[in-house]
Amino acid sequence: MKIGVLALQGAVAEHIRSIELAGAEGVAVKKVEQLDDMDGLIIPGGESTTIGKLMRKYGFIEAIRQFSEAGKPIFGTCAGLIVLAKNISGQDDAHLSLMNMSVSRNAFGRQRESFETDLDVVGIDEPVRAVFIRAPLIESVGEGVEVLSTYQDEIVTAREGHLLASSFHPELTDDYRLHKYFADMVESSLKSLR
Ligand code: GLN
């Protein structure tokens, strides 16, 4: 099972390490052609405006939409969550426009630019260690989207079928259980696509 990490900008090596801890093969994806070999894809944190620009420049918008259309799972973390969303608060344009939710960038305010906490996540037994860095939050979710975790009443993890998104960086700790959760999504999609 191969899980790609979109390697245009951001925390790529850390995601690959977490994927491997979760028992799958992690691959840095720099070219659209590589997507054909991937069973799942992670869009990492970084700067969503920059990632979006580079995605447009290298043809990733269409290619990832097709990847999603084929039912292959995608996991967006932090800026990756913003890139997945159908609506970005205060902006006219979204990027991939795949996930039925509205998100707000840099939503935790200046004094809380970065922090760590333990979060209850639906589907994972014990709380997950979560690192938030200039994190977005999910303001609202539409039909078909399940909320998996909240922090102080704000939605920070959600899933819509084969799409998963977290406001925080699960790749910056040794806690790889959210990657394992995603790897399980990829495994079941492989079974149903076979
Ligand atoms: N603040 C960034 C953005 O709006 C996201 C930060 C991150 O990915 N750590 O794109």
Side-chain angles (χ1 to χ4, degrees):
M1 197 164 82
K2 279 191 191 169
I3 298 181
V5 181
L6 186 65
L8 298 175
Q9 193 228 20
V12 176
E14 293 84 352
H15 271 297
I16 290 179
R17 186 195 65 125
S18 298
I19 291 167
E20 312 240 304
L21 287 170
E25 186 183 340
V27 181
V29 171
K30 295 188 172 143
K31 297 197 168 126
V32 282
E33 299 80 54
Q34 288 175 275
L35 286 174
D36 293 339
D37 295 329
M38 302 302 138
D39 304 308
L41 180 70
I42 293 179
I43 305 176
E47 230 294 312
S48 56
T49 311
T50 307
I51 296 175
K53 265 188 203 144
L54 293 170
M55 284 171 81
R56 282 181 185 81
K57 183 167 173 193
Y58 296 109
F60 274 106
I61 299 279
E62 261 321 299
I64 295 175
R65 283 184 183 149
Q66 280 167 20
F67 189 88
S68 172
E69 194 76 23
K72 292 188 180 182
I74 305 175
F75 179 17
T77 65
C78 203
L81 165 149
I82 300 167
V83 166
L84 274 181
K86 281 212 170 131
N87 187 63
I88 304 168
S89 182
Q91 284 183 211
D92 289 336
D93 297 319
H95 301 285
L96 286 169
S97 261
L98 286 172
M99 210 169 152
N100 198 5
M101 60 186 181
S102 183
V103 303
S104 167
R105 298 176 63 193
N106 304 320
F108 288 93
R110 284 206 164 270
Q111 57 286 57
R112 303 223 67 188
E113 281 207 337
S114 87
F115 57 97
E116 276 189 54
T117 188
D118 292 314
L119 282 181
D120 287 323
V121 179
V122 175
I124 299 179
D125 284 347
E126 299 288 323
V128 168
R129 190 72 184 156
V131 180
F132 290 79
I133 304 168
R134 289 170 49 75
L137 61 79
I138 303 171
E139 284 182 336
S140 62
V141 295
E143 217 184 295
V145 182
E146 186 193 359
V147 172
L148 299 186
S149 77
T150 57
Y151 173 73
Q152 294 180 347
D153 294 330
E154 307 284 5
I155 305 170
V156 293
T157 315
R159 175 175 177 178
E160 180 180 4
H162 66 298
L163 305 174
L164 179 68
S166 72
S167 297
F168 56 91
H169 289 261
E171 79 286 7
L172 296 183
T173 68
D174 293 332
D175 188 345
Y176 59 87
R177 289 171 299 154
L178 203 58
H179 286 81
K180 176 78 176 88
Y181 180 98
F182 181 63
D184 290 344
M185 282 170 62
V186 176
E187 200 178 341
S188 10
S189 86
L190 281 176
K191 279 185 194 139
S192 65
L193 294 173
R194 235 174 244 143

